[in-house]
Amino acid sequence: MLASVPRPTLAPCIRCCAQNQTRHASLLRRPKRPYTFTQLITLSDGSTFTHRTTSPAPIYKSTRDTKNSVLWNPSSQKLMNVEEDEAGRLRRFRRRFGRGFDAEAAAVEGQEGEAREGAREGEEALSQAEEEDSLLDLISGYGQEAAAKSGEDSAKAAEKKSSGKRKGGKKQ
Amino acid sequence: MNAAPQSARRIASANNAFFVDTVCFSCRNRLSQQSRRHAATAAAVSDPPPATSPQASSRAAAPIIAKGPRKAYRLMAAPVLSRPPLLTRDLNSFEKAFYLYQKRLNERLAMPFSRYFYYNKGTPADPEWKRKLQARKTPSRDIGIYDAYGNEGWNDEVLVGDRTGERESVVEALIRDAEGKSIVEESEKDQGAVTAGDAQLGEGQRRETTKIEVERPSSRETEADRSGDVKSLNRKLDRTLYLLVKNHEGRWRFPEDRVYGRENLHQAAERILIQSCGINMNTWLVGNHPIGHHAHHYPSQKPIVSKISANALVGTSKESEKEEFGEKLFFMKARIMAGQPDLGSNAYGLQEWAWLAKEEVDGRVGRSYWASVKNMLVER
């Protein structure tokens, strides 16, 4: 079958070279690749994966990544609510400086939920002396106490009164 | 083509009951424009009546353009909601052996690790590093004990059954290293005995003063895997899961419904997802094109006259009656990011739902339905 079919004759060598890739003998430098390790990466939600890196640390714990970012987790209520900080740093801030610096909406909503928590915490954490000493708490907490008793309207009014003392706040 | 204007006119005529149901909106507009144009030219030029032209066209070459549809089918859409895999698949034994070999080969080919760039002399990290290195003879932790530059550098193959290349042992070695232990368990008695009298030797030895406990990563097999909970999205993390629902007849299918009014497949699929599974799901419908279809012809070629009621969610839907010869169902791809289905207030009488991998879908779904569906589902 092959013999009967007339084959088209190719020009020798020139045609062959054009069809194949060739590289004639030449000196290549030895590639100097850095030493790489396998590292275990732990993301903020506990998920892990391994990857190759030049870093000799065996484990890398990431604190801020896509797993605790609002942009990448739009459905997560926990991340949307900035006041509910996972690290608990806001709790520490509030213990020192009171709740006067809270955002309005979060302060009114969060009061019912966190009031009990705060009360329990406050009893344990703050001694009497500390409570008396925190003038800043008195100043900033003034508006919040009034709000807790009356309602939303008075809260807003009280907030406006103390707004002037807030650093960088709007003066209305 | 002679055939085209004739069939187009036939389709586009207002009397045709099948026109609205089976031809899409943009095609309908184009056809009606063409027919109007054709009618206008015919009137102006006073051509021979259209009665003679079909004969002429039939005598001409075989019709290439299809004639108008004869039978109406119920047009339906079904969203195929899937959760893509969250973990990469397990490696097979060849891959594990290959990667271990490549890592040991890399020891010999890459530049040696420059220790003093990371661990300065005189810092506590330096003797720590030296101690750990002594045990495993190589800076890497995932290749076992292997010295690339020593006399045994040629011996880079492991014996059959060796667990060095397994993913679990690699992760375990990394964690042990982070805890300050050597990657391989050493008999501590020997250690203590050798360095008992010698102060210098004992300098770099680790003493059990503080125990660093690094949390192990959770297993790839979750609680849902062990209990076989098909309602959980945490099951089979290395596979794609598809949402199947049990309809009022007791059949397991993808949630489906008719396409109403002037909505397109994409809009219909979104509406069906909301009407069947509730709004508490963060989903994304991937494209405007279907990924599969399923045609069901009613038995014995008898049409069923179905009463179509207006759908509350579709503004352009109207009440009408249609004679339908079967169903044509188009599948639309969707992804779930968060949430779970809630059949509490579903509009189709759905009883149950489940997240199933491809072979599990096979087990629950009817034969002809599976034949239509199997090629659009992903193996992994």
Side-chain angles (χ1 to χ4, degrees):
Chain A
M1 190 61 185
L2 280 169
S4 57
V5 171
R7 274 207 185 145
T9 50
L10 299 170
C13 285
I14 304 160
R15 215 43 209 287
C16 287
C17 288
Q19 284 173 357
N20 307 317
Q21 259 193 337
T22 51
R23 190 181 77 77
H24 297 289
S26 54
L27 203 61
L28 281 178
R29 281 182 321 179
R30 187 205 157 170
K32 286 184 180 165
R33 292 180 297 111
Y35 192 89
T36 37
F37 299 85
T38 305
Q39 190 180 70
L40 184 77
I41 305 247
T42 308
L43 297 174
S44 51
D45 70 335
S47 48
T48 58
F49 59 93
T50 53
H51 76 141
R52 299 285 291 177
T53 171
T54 49
S55 161
I59 293 179
Y60 177 75
K61 277 201 151 95
S62 151
T63 47
R64 295 294 295 167
D65 45 55
T66 53
K67 299 296 179 185
N68 63 354
S69 156
V70 178
L71 185 67
W72 290 97
N73 301 282
S75 312
S76 167
Q77 280 306 307
K78 198 167 92 168
L79 296 173
M80 287 292 266
N81 189 0
V82 185
E83 303 289 327
E84 254 183 58
D85 199 1
E86 199 184 76
R89 291 208 195 107
L90 280 180
R91 224 183 293 147
R92 202 172 61 191
F93 181 89
R94 281 172 188 154
R95 217 183 293 151
R96 289 184 189 172
F97 305 112
R99 297 192 74 120
F101 295 96
D102 285 357
E104 259 188 44
V108 174
E109 281 170 17
Q111 246 168 41
E112 293 167 0
E114 291 182 18
R116 286 177 209 164
E117 274 187 49
R120 259 183 264 130
E121 275 185 47
E123 282 161 14
E124 290 165 26
L126 294 172
S127 64
Q128 269 200 337
E130 280 178 85
E131 273 182 351
E132 288 167 359
D133 286 352
S134 61
L135 274 173
L136 215 60
D137 204 36
L138 272 173
I139 296 164
S140 49
Y142 168 70
Q144 295 308 310
E145 281 171 2
K149 286 169 190 172
S150 23
E152 267 191 49
D153 296 326
S154 59
K156 280 181 186 168
E159 289 278 358
K160 279 186 182 172
K161 277 186 208 168
S162 57
S163 68
K165 301 202 179 178
R166 256 188 248 165
K167 292 177 189 176
K170 280 187 200 168
K171 294 196 175 173
Q172 283 158 353
Chain B
M1 293 286 166
N2 283 333
Q6 302 307 317
S7 53
R9 242 181 276 148
R10 219 182 304 127
I11 296 166
S13 67
N15 300 330
N16 196 328
F18 307 137
F19 185 45
V20 173
D21 194 51
T22 50
V23 183
C24 84
F25 180 61
S26 46
C27 288
R28 256 187 274 148
N29 268 351
R30 183 163 39 86
L31 289 171
S32 49
Q33 280 169 13
Q34 283 177 1
S35 70
R36 268 185 265 127
R37 229 182 296 132
H38 220 91
T41 52
V45 179
S46 65
D47 271 337
T52 57
S53 356
Q55 293 168 20
S57 63
S58 60
R59 264 185 268 133
I64 298 161
I65 306 294
K67 293 179 188 174
R70 298 277 175 205
K71 298 176 181 176
Y73 281 78
R74 172 194 284 208
L75 187 62
M76 302 178 77
V80 174
L81 192 61
S82 62
R83 185 221 73 190
L86 301 175
L87 299 179
T88 49
R89 62 168 174 82
D90 281 324
L91 298 174
N92 51 37
S93 57
F94 174 70
E95 286 171 332
K96 288 176 200 163
F98 178 74
Y99 292 142
L100 178 64
Y101 168 69
Q102 285 292 326
K103 283 189 241 181
R104 286 194 165 184
L105 180 63
N106 191 53
E107 287 284 301
R108 309 196 288 279
L109 297 180
M111 294 211 298
F113 175 57
S114 45
R115 189 215 325 169
Y116 292 112
F117 181 76
Y118 294 99
Y119 301 106
N120 292 314
K121 273 188 195 173
T123 55
D126 194 25
E128 262 283 301
W129 174 264
K130 266 192 252 180
R131 175 179 61 79
K132 287 189 216 166
L133 190 68
Q134 215 172 36
R136 61 177 192 251
K137 296 179 188 152
T138 170
S140 288
R141 300 148 192 117
D142 50 345
I143 53 176
I145 299 166
Y146 174 66
D147 186 7
Y149 298 102
N151 293 325
E152 294 272 301
W154 57 270
N155 191 12
D156 62 351
E157 285 188 36
V158 291
L159 300 176
V160 172
D162 201 297
R163 311 285 303 172
T164 316
E166 304 279 331
R167 188 186 9 89
E168 292 92 2
S169 46
V170 165
V171 171
E172 186 61 32
L174 289 169
I175 290 172
R176 283 180 66 90
D177 195 81
E179 287 176 340
K181 303 178 202 162
S182 68
I183 60 167
V184 178
E185 284 284 353
E186 290 168 14
S187 49
E188 288 174 23
K189 287 178 192 171
D190 292 345
Q191 262 188 3
V194 167
T195 62
D198 205 326
Q200 268 195 334
L201 266 177
E203 208 174 58
Q205 289 298 331
R206 181 170 159 268
R207 279 172 218 92
E208 294 281 334
T209 45
T210 46
K211 265 195 173 168
I212 313 157
E213 272 292 323
V214 175
E215 209 183 301
R216 256 81 184 155
S218 349
S219 147
R220 285 166 68 95
E221 215 187 63
T222 58
E223 194 56 55
D225 270 313
R226 285 186 282 271
S227 60
D229 179 18
V230 288
K231 290 200 187 299
S232 168
L233 274 174
N234 254 346
R235 196 174 69 99
K236 296 203 181 235
L237 297 177
D238 59 341
R239 303 287 307 281
T240 307
L241 294 180
Y242 296 98
L243 179 70
L244 274 185
V245 287
K246 192 174 180 181
N247 62 12
H248 61 279
E249 295 165 12
R251 292 211 190 112
W252 282 95
R253 298 171 82 123
F254 294 109
E256 65 197 21
D257 189 24
R258 172 188 276 282
V259 174
Y260 290 94
R262 303 242 300 246
E263 66 178 358
N264 56 34
L265 285 176
H266 185 111
Q267 294 164 349
E270 278 179 346
R271 174 185 57 81
I272 291 159
L273 259 184
I274 295 168
Q275 280 195 305
S276 51
C277 301
I279 46 164
N280 283 328
M281 292 205 298
N282 185 359
T283 56
W284 172 52
L285 235 97
V286 177
N288 295 317
H289 294 266
I291 54 169
H293 74 282
H294 171 67
H296 169 66
H297 312 278
Y298 293 141
S300 68
Q301 306 250 332
K302 272 191 188 160
I304 293 173
V305 180
S306 52
K307 223 175 186 176
I308 308 159
S309 53
N311 193 308
L313 291 181
V314 183
T316 50
S317 68
K318 285 175 285 182
E319 264 213 40
S320 54
E321 249 184 49
K322 284 244 165 68
E323 200 183 53
E324 285 159 352
F325 284 80
E327 297 173 351
K328 285 191 178 168
L329 172 64
F330 291 94
F331 298 105
M332 303 295 285
K333 183 172 182 176
R335 294 292 205 194
I336 182 148
M337 272 78 75
Q340 284 280 29
D342 174 26
L343 298 185
S345 52
N346 78 83
Y348 310 117
L350 303 171
Q351 299 162 11
E352 245 186 275
W353 53 274
W355 290 103
L356 303 169
K358 184 174 179 180
E359 67 277 3
E360 292 163 345
V361 172
D362 183 8
R364 301 226 185 180
V365 137
R367 291 295 95 220
S368 65
Y369 195 77
W370 172 246
S372 309
V373 151
K374 65 181 183 192
N375 288 330
M376 72 187 192
L377 300 183
V378 163
E379 286 294 340
R380 179 143 307 283

